[in-house]
Amino acid sequence: MEKTYAILTDSTSDLSPELRARFGIDDYFRGVISTPESEEIIAELDERDDAYFDDFYRKLKANPKGYKTAALGGETVKERMKAWLDKGLDLLVITVSGSMSAVYKVIVEAAREVLPDYPGRKVLVLDSRRYSLGVGTLAVRAAEHREEGLSIDENFALLEKERNCLHQMGPIDDLYYVASKGRISNAKAFFGTIFGIKPMGDFSPEGMVQPLGKVSGIEKSYKVIVEYMKKTIKHPEKQVVFISQTLRRKEAEKAAELIRREIKPREVIVANIYPNTGINCGPGLFAAFYYGTEITDLSYEKGVFDNIVKNIL
């Protein structure tokens, strides 16, 4: 079937060249990284080995205030948009949560300014209300829908519903990074200040990271991930579960193996978090992203978590 629209995401999606090629993601909008040396680097999702990511997160851990991120300027976004529109394709764009970043607003404004030059064309921009491979998972789902023959409008409408069913679950060493970047309220950061205590959370309906509670140590977190997924996942056999990680590759692989054995999804893929996302979530995390029950005001999810901690751990 001939493609009538392209699927784009942004550099927070953490989709490597291999994953983009495999799942049919056409392109992505780049962000900007500022380094401790006051350099500005375009945030490319290029081919990198594991050593590159590990080295970066060690540097970030040593200097957490030295790195910053920003969205690309509107003119650069418009040029990339025009390049695809000039090919005769409409655009379906999936961005990082608008509650976490200005990327969504920048792309929406760029589309508003570009479209008058392309009468009858469409640029549909979806706020994923997610980050990292939560964004990537939605982009992959968009590509699957396109392959199934959905129009751009049908695809967008379905993704609006599906994003509310996209969960994350996993531990993080320290909430300083997400708290300092405004991804959660600072009041929640105390969860990550005690050695050995691992905060674990899901997404809020507004697209923020919301800790549901904490466990003592990595070993217990594996059990929480699996049990939480059992209570909240739907149709695992039909979906790819992504696990993203920063300096927790071994732990992510162990979680992946447990999920394969006990949840039995179609596939589990462990992937590195690129610096553009990692600066805002820090080293020492791994989290599974998957589709399941529609996310509530988190009262149901908090109850599930608390029950696991109380009755299973």
Coordinates of all heavy atoms in Angstrom, one line a residue, residues 94-163:
I94 N 4.1 12.5 16.8 CA 3.9 12.1 18.2 C 5.0 12.7 19.0 O 6.2 12.4 18.8 CB 3.8 10.6 18.4 CG1 2.7 9.9 17.6 CG2 3.7 10.2 19.9 CD1 3.0 9.5 16.3
T95 N 4.6 13.6 20.0 CA 5.7 14.3 20.8 C 5.7 13.9 22.2 O 4.8 13.3 22.7 CB 5.4 15.8 20.8 OG1 4.3 16.1 21.7 CG2 5.0 16.3 19.4
V96 N 6.8 14.3 22.9 CA 6.9 14.1 24.3 C 5.8 14.9 25.0 O 5.2 15.8 24.5 CB 8.3 14.6 24.8 CG1 8.4 16.1 24.6 CG2 8.5 14.3 26.3
S97 N 5.4 14.5 26.3 CA 4.4 15.1 27.0 C 4.5 16.6 27.1 O 5.6 17.2 27.4 CB 4.4 14.6 28.5 OG 3.5 15.3 29.3
G98 N 3.4 17.3 26.8 CA 3.4 18.7 26.8 C 3.5 19.3 28.3 O 3.9 20.4 28.5
S99 N 3.3 18.4 29.2 CA 3.5 18.8 30.6 C 4.9 18.8 31.1 O 5.3 19.3 32.1 CB 2.7 17.8 31.6 OG 1.3 18.0 31.3
M100 N 5.8 18.1 30.2 CA 7.2 18.0 30.6 C 8.1 18.8 29.7 O 9.2 19.1 30.0 CB 7.6 16.5 30.4 CG 6.9 15.5 31.3 SD 7.6 13.9 31.0 CE 6.6 12.9 32.1
S101 N 7.6 19.3 28.5 CA 8.5 19.9 27.6 C 7.7 20.9 26.7 O 6.4 20.7 26.5 CB 9.1 18.8 26.7 OG 9.8 19.4 25.6
A102 N 8.4 21.8 26.1 CA 7.8 22.8 25.2 C 7.7 22.2 23.7 O 7.2 22.9 22.8 CB 8.5 24.1 25.2
V103 N 8.2 21.0 23.5 CA 8.3 20.5 22.1 C 6.9 20.5 21.5 O 6.8 20.9 20.3 CB 8.9 19.1 22.2 CG1 8.8 18.4 20.8 CG2 10.4 19.1 22.6
Y104 N 5.9 20.0 22.2 CA 4.6 19.9 21.6 C 4.1 21.3 21.1 O 3.6 21.4 19.9 CB 3.6 19.4 22.6 CG 2.1 19.4 22.2 CD1 1.6 18.5 21.2 CD2 1.3 20.4 22.7 CE1 0.3 18.6 20.8 CE2 -0.1 20.4 22.3 CZ -0.5 19.5 21.4 OH -1.9 19.6 21.0
K105 N 4.2 22.3 21.9 CA 3.8 23.7 21.5 C 4.6 24.2 20.3 O 4.0 24.8 19.4 CB 3.9 24.6 22.7 CG 2.9 24.4 23.8 CD 3.0 25.4 24.9 CE 2.0 25.1 26.0 NZ 2.2 26.1 27.1
V106 N 5.9 23.9 20.3 CA 6.7 24.4 19.2 C 6.3 23.8 17.9 O 6.2 24.5 16.8 CB 8.2 24.1 19.5 CG1 9.1 24.3 18.2 CG2 8.7 24.9 20.6
I107 N 6.0 22.5 17.9 CA 5.6 21.8 16.7 C 4.2 22.2 16.2 O 4.0 22.4 15.0 CB 5.7 20.3 16.9 CG1 7.2 19.9 17.1 CG2 5.1 19.5 15.7 CD1 7.5 18.4 17.3
V108 N 3.3 22.4 17.2 CA 1.9 22.8 16.8 C 2.0 24.2 16.2 O 1.3 24.5 15.1 CB 1.0 22.8 18.1 CG1 -0.3 23.6 17.8 CG2 0.7 21.4 18.5
E109 N 2.8 25.1 16.7 CA 2.9 26.4 16.2 C 3.6 26.4 14.8 O 3.1 27.1 13.9 CB 3.7 27.3 17.1 CG 3.9 28.8 16.7 CD 2.6 29.5 16.5 OE1 1.6 29.1 17.0 OE2 2.6 30.5 15.7
A110 N 4.6 25.6 14.6 CA 5.2 25.5 13.3 C 4.3 25.0 12.3 O 4.2 25.5 11.1 CB 6.4 24.5 13.4
A111 N 3.4 24.0 12.6 CA 2.4 23.5 11.7 C 1.4 24.6 11.3 O 1.0 24.7 10.1 CB 1.7 22.3 12.3
R112 N 1.0 25.4 12.3 CA 0.0 26.4 12.0 C 0.6 27.4 11.0 O -0.1 27.9 10.2 CB -0.3 27.1 13.3 CG -1.4 28.2 13.2 CD -1.6 29.0 14.5 NE -0.4 29.8 14.8 CZ -0.2 31.0 14.2 NH1 -1.1 31.5 13.3 NH2 0.8 31.7 14.5
E113 N 1.9 27.7 11.1 CA 2.5 28.7 10.2 C 2.8 28.1 8.8 O 2.8 28.8 7.8 CB 3.8 29.2 10.9 CG 3.6 30.0 12.1 CD 4.8 30.5 12.8 OE1 5.9 30.4 12.1 OE2 4.8 31.0 13.9
V114 N 3.1 26.8 8.8 CA 3.5 26.2 7.5 C 2.3 25.8 6.6 O 2.3 26.0 5.4 CB 4.3 24.9 7.8 CG1 4.3 24.0 6.6 CG2 5.7 25.3 8.2
L115 N 1.2 25.4 7.2 CA 0.1 24.8 6.5 C -0.6 25.7 5.5 O -1.1 25.3 4.5 CB -1.0 24.2 7.4 CG -0.6 22.8 8.0 CD1 -1.6 22.4 9.1 CD2 -0.5 21.8 6.9
P116 N -0.7 27.0 5.7 CA -1.2 27.9 4.7 C -0.6 27.8 3.3 O -1.2 28.1 2.3 CB -1.1 29.3 5.3 CG -1.1 29.1 6.7 CD -0.4 27.8 6.9
D117 N 0.7 27.4 3.3 CA 1.4 27.2 2.0 C 1.1 25.8 1.4 O 1.6 25.5 0.3 CB 2.9 27.3 2.2 CG 3.3 28.7 2.6 OD1 2.6 29.7 2.3 OD2 4.3 28.9 3.4
Y118 N 0.3 25.0 2.1 CA 0.0 23.6 1.6 C -1.5 23.4 1.7 O -2.0 22.6 2.6 CB 0.8 22.6 2.4 CG 2.3 22.7 2.2 CD1 3.0 23.5 3.1 CD2 3.0 22.0 1.3 CE1 4.4 23.6 2.9 CE2 4.3 22.1 1.1 CZ 5.1 22.9 1.9 OH 6.4 23.0 1.8
P119 N -2.3 24.0 0.9 CA -3.8 23.9 1.0 C -4.2 22.5 0.9 O -3.8 21.7 0.1 CB -4.3 24.7 -0.2 CG -3.1 25.6 -0.6 CD -1.9 24.9 -0.2
G120 N -5.1 22.1 1.8 CA -5.7 20.8 1.9 C -4.9 19.7 2.5 O -5.3 18.6 2.6
R121 N -3.7 20.1 3.0 CA -2.8 19.2 3.6 C -3.0 19.1 5.1 O -3.6 20.0 5.7 CB -1.3 19.5 3.3 CG -1.1 19.6 1.8 CD -1.3 18.2 1.1 NE -0.3 17.3 1.6 CZ 0.9 17.3 1.3 NH1 1.4 18.2 0.4 NH2 1.8 16.5 1.8
K122 N -2.4 18.1 5.8 CA -2.7 17.9 7.2 C -1.3 17.7 8.0 O -0.5 16.9 7.5 CB -3.6 16.7 7.5 CG -5.0 16.9 7.0 CD -5.8 15.6 7.2 CE -7.2 15.8 6.7 NZ -8.0 14.5 6.9
V123 N -1.2 18.3 9.1 CA -0.2 18.0 10.1 C -0.9 17.8 11.4 O -1.4 18.8 12.0 CB 0.9 19.1 10.2 CG1 1.9 18.7 11.3 CG2 1.6 19.3 8.9
L124 N -1.0 16.6 11.9 CA -1.7 16.2 13.1 C -0.7 15.9 14.2 O 0.2 15.1 14.0 CB -2.6 15.0 12.9 CG -3.7 15.2 11.9 CD1 -4.6 14.0 11.9 CD2 -4.5 16.4 12.0
V125 N -0.7 16.7 15.3 CA 0.3 16.6 16.3 C -0.3 16.0 17.6 O -1.3 16.6 18.2 CB 0.9 17.9 16.6 CG1 2.1 17.8 17.6 CG2 1.4 18.6 15.3
L126 N 0.1 14.9 18.0 CA -0.4 14.2 19.2 C 0.5 14.5 20.4 O 1.7 14.1 20.4 CB -0.5 12.7 19.0 CG -1.1 11.9 20.2 CD1 -2.6 12.1 20.3 CD2 -0.7 10.5 20.1
D127 N 0.0 15.0 21.5 CA 0.8 15.1 22.8 C 0.7 13.7 23.4 O -0.4 13.3 23.8 CB 0.1 16.2 23.7 CG 0.8 16.3 25.0 OD1 1.6 15.4 25.4 OD2 0.4 17.2 25.8
S128 N 1.8 13.0 23.4 CA 1.8 11.6 23.9 C 1.4 11.5 25.4 O 1.0 10.5 25.9 CB 3.1 11.0 23.7 OG 4.1 11.5 24.6
R129 N 1.7 12.6 26.2 CA 1.6 12.6 27.6 C 2.5 11.6 28.2 O 2.2 11.1 29.3 CB 0.1 12.4 28.1 CG -0.8 13.5 27.6 CD -2.2 13.3 28.1 NE -3.1 14.3 27.4 CZ -4.5 14.2 27.4 NH1 -5.0 13.1 28.1 NH2 -5.2 15.1 26.9
R130 N 3.5 11.3 27.5 CA 4.5 10.3 28.0 C 5.9 10.8 27.7 O 6.1 11.9 27.1 CB 4.3 9.0 27.2 CG 2.9 8.4 27.4 CD 2.7 7.9 28.8 NE 1.4 7.3 29.0 CZ 0.3 8.0 29.5 NH1 0.4 9.3 29.7 NH2 -0.8 7.3 29.7
Y131 N 7.0 10.1 28.1 CA 8.3 10.4 27.7 C 9.1 9.1 27.4 O 8.6 8.0 27.5 CB 9.0 11.1 28.9 CG 9.4 10.2 30.0 CD1 10.8 9.9 30.2 CD2 8.5 9.6 30.9 CE1 11.2 9.0 31.2 CE2 8.9 8.7 31.8 CZ 10.2 8.4 32.0 OH 10.6 7.5 33.0
S132 N 10.3 9.3 26.9 CA 11.2 8.2 26.5 C 10.4 7.2 25.6 O 9.7 7.6 24.7 CB 11.7 7.5 27.8 OG 12.7 6.5 27.5
L133 N 10.6 5.9 25.9 CA 10.0 4.9 25.0 C 8.5 4.8 25.2 O 7.8 4.1 24.5 CB 10.6 3.5 25.2 CG 11.9 3.4 24.5 CD1 12.8 2.3 25.0 CD2 11.7 3.3 23.0
G134 N 7.9 5.6 26.1 CA 6.4 5.8 26.1 C 6.1 6.6 24.8 O 5.1 6.2 24.1
V135 N 6.8 7.6 24.5 CA 6.6 8.3 23.2 C 6.9 7.3 22.0 O 6.1 7.2 21.1 CB 7.6 9.5 23.1 CG1 7.3 10.3 21.8 CG2 7.5 10.4 24.3
G136 N 8.0 6.6 22.1 CA 8.4 5.7 21.1 C 7.4 4.6 20.9 O 7.1 4.2 19.7
T137 N 6.8 4.1 22.0 CA 5.8 3.0 21.9 C 4.5 3.5 21.1 O 4.0 2.8 20.3 CB 5.4 2.6 23.3 OG1 6.5 2.0 23.9 CG2 4.3 1.5 23.2
L138 N 4.1 4.8 21.4 CA 3.0 5.3 20.6 C 3.3 5.5 19.2 O 2.5 5.3 18.3 CB 2.6 6.6 21.2 CG 1.6 6.5 22.4 CD1 1.4 7.9 23.1 CD2 0.2 6.1 21.9
A139 N 4.6 5.9 18.9 CA 5.0 6.1 17.5 C 5.0 4.7 16.7 O 4.5 4.6 15.6 CB 6.4 6.7 17.4
V140 N 5.4 3.7 17.4 CA 5.4 2.3 16.8 C 3.9 1.9 16.6 O 3.6 1.3 15.5 CB 6.1 1.3 17.8 CG1 5.8 -0.1 17.3 CG2 7.6 1.6 17.7
R141 N 3.1 2.2 17.5 CA 1.7 1.8 17.4 C 1.1 2.6 16.2 O 0.3 2.0 15.4 CB 0.9 2.1 18.7 CG -0.6 1.7 18.6 CD -0.8 0.3 18.4 NE -0.3 -0.6 19.4 CZ -1.1 -1.0 20.5 NH1 -2.3 -0.7 20.6 NH2 -0.6 -1.8 21.3
A142 N 1.4 3.9 16.0 CA 1.0 4.6 14.9 C 1.4 4.0 13.6 O 0.6 3.9 12.6 CB 1.5 6.1 15.0
A143 N 2.6 3.5 13.5 CA 3.1 2.9 12.3 C 2.4 1.6 12.0 O 2.1 1.2 10.9 CB 4.6 2.6 12.4
E144 N 2.1 0.8 13.1 CA 1.3 -0.4 12.9 C -0.1 -0.1 12.4 O -0.6 -0.8 11.5 CB 1.2 -1.1 14.3 CG 2.5 -1.7 14.7 CD 2.5 -2.4 16.1 OE1 1.6 -2.0 16.9 OE2 3.4 -3.2 16.4
H145 N -0.7 0.9 12.9 CA -2.1 1.3 12.4 C -2.0 1.7 11.0 O -2.9 1.4 10.2 CB -2.6 2.5 13.3 CG -2.9 2.1 14.7 ND1 -3.4 0.9 15.1 CD2 -3.0 2.9 15.8 CE1 -3.6 0.9 16.4 NE2 -3.4 2.1 16.8
R146 N -1.0 2.4 10.6 CA -0.8 2.8 9.2 C -0.7 1.6 8.3 O -1.3 1.5 7.2 CB 0.4 3.8 9.0 CG 0.6 4.3 7.6 CD 1.7 5.2 7.5 NE 3.0 4.6 7.8 CZ 4.2 5.2 7.9 NH1 4.3 6.5 7.6 NH2 5.3 4.5 8.2
E147 N 0.1 0.6 8.8 CA 0.3 -0.6 8.0 C -1.1 -1.3 7.9 O -1.3 -2.0 6.8 CB 1.3 -1.5 8.7 CG 1.7 -2.7 8.0 CD 2.5 -2.4 6.7 OE1 3.1 -1.3 6.6 OE2 2.5 -3.3 5.8
E148 N -1.9 -1.2 8.9 CA -3.2 -1.9 8.8 C -4.2 -1.1 7.9 O -5.3 -1.6 7.7 CB -3.8 -1.9 10.2 CG -3.0 -2.9 11.2 CD -3.4 -2.6 12.6 OE1 -4.2 -1.7 12.9 OE2 -2.8 -3.3 13.5
G149 N -3.8 0.0 7.4 CA -4.7 0.7 6.5 C -5.5 1.9 7.0 O -6.3 2.5 6.3
L150 N -5.2 2.3 8.3 CA -5.9 3.4 8.9 C -5.5 4.7 8.2 O -4.3 4.9 7.9 CB -5.7 3.5 10.4 CG -6.7 2.7 11.3 CD1 -6.5 1.2 11.1 CD2 -6.4 3.1 12.8
S151 N -6.5 5.6 8.0 CA -6.2 6.9 7.5 C -5.5 7.7 8.6 O -5.5 7.3 9.8 CB -7.5 7.6 7.1 OG -8.2 8.0 8.2
I152 N -5.0 8.9 8.3 CA -4.3 9.7 9.2 C -5.3 10.1 10.3 O -4.9 10.2 11.5 CB -3.6 10.9 8.6 CG1 -2.7 11.6 9.6 CG2 -4.6 11.8 7.9 CD1 -1.8 12.7 9.0
D153 N -6.5 10.5 10.0 CA -7.5 10.9 11.0 C -7.9 9.7 11.9 O -8.1 9.9 13.1 CB -8.7 11.5 10.2 CG -8.4 12.7 9.5 OD1 -8.1 13.8 10.1 OD2 -8.4 12.7 8.2
E154 N -8.1 8.6 11.3 CA -8.5 7.4 12.1 C -7.4 7.0 13.0 O -7.6 6.7 14.2 CB -8.8 6.2 11.1 CG -10.0 6.4 10.3 CD -10.1 5.3 9.2 OE1 -9.1 4.8 8.8 OE2 -11.3 5.0 8.8
N155 N -6.1 7.1 12.5 CA -5.0 6.8 13.3 C -4.9 7.7 14.5 O -4.7 7.3 15.7 CB -3.7 6.9 12.5 CG -2.6 6.0 13.0 OD1 -2.5 5.7 14.2 ND2 -1.6 5.8 12.1
F156 N -5.0 9.0 14.3 CA -4.9 10.0 15.3 C -5.9 9.8 16.4 O -5.6 9.9 17.6 CB -5.0 11.4 14.7 CG -4.8 12.6 15.7 CD1 -3.5 13.0 16.0 CD2 -5.8 13.2 16.3 CE1 -3.3 14.0 16.9 CE2 -5.6 14.2 17.2 CZ -4.4 14.6 17.5
A157 N -7.2 9.6 16.0 CA -8.3 9.4 16.9 C -8.0 8.2 17.8 O -8.3 8.2 19.0 CB -9.6 9.3 16.2
L158 N -7.5 7.1 17.2 CA -7.3 5.9 18.0 C -6.1 6.1 19.0 O -6.2 5.7 20.1 CB -7.0 4.7 17.0 CG -6.9 3.3 17.7 CD1 -8.1 3.0 18.5 CD2 -6.7 2.3 16.6
L159 N -5.1 6.8 18.5 CA -3.9 7.1 19.4 C -4.3 7.9 20.6 O -3.8 7.8 21.7 CB -2.8 7.8 18.6 CG -2.1 6.9 17.5 CD1 -1.2 7.8 16.7 CD2 -1.3 5.8 18.2
E160 N -5.3 8.9 20.4 CA -5.7 9.7 21.5 C -6.3 8.8 22.6 O -6.2 9.1 23.8 CB -6.8 10.7 21.0 CG -6.2 11.9 20.3 CD -7.3 12.9 20.0 OE1 -8.3 12.6 19.4 OE2 -7.1 14.1 20.5
K161 N -7.0 7.7 22.2 CA -7.5 6.8 23.2 C -6.5 5.9 23.8 O -6.4 5.7 25.0 CB -8.6 6.0 22.6 CG -9.9 6.7 22.1 CD -10.9 5.8 21.4 CE -12.1 6.6 20.9 NZ -13.0 5.7 20.2
E162 N -5.6 5.4 22.9 CA -4.6 4.5 23.4 C -3.5 5.1 24.3 O -3.0 4.4 25.2 CB -3.9 3.8 22.1 CG -4.8 2.9 21.4 CD -4.2 2.3 20.2 OE1 -3.4 3.0 19.5 OE2 -4.5 1.1 19.9
R163 N -3.3 6.4 24.1 CA -2.2 6.9 25.0 C -2.7 6.9 26.5 O -1.8 6.8 27.4 CB -2.0 8.4 24.6 CG -3.1 9.4 24.9 CD -2.8 10.8 24.5 NE -4.0 11.6 24.6 CZ -4.1 12.9 24.2 NH1 -3.0 13.4 23.6 NH2 -5.2 13.5 24.3

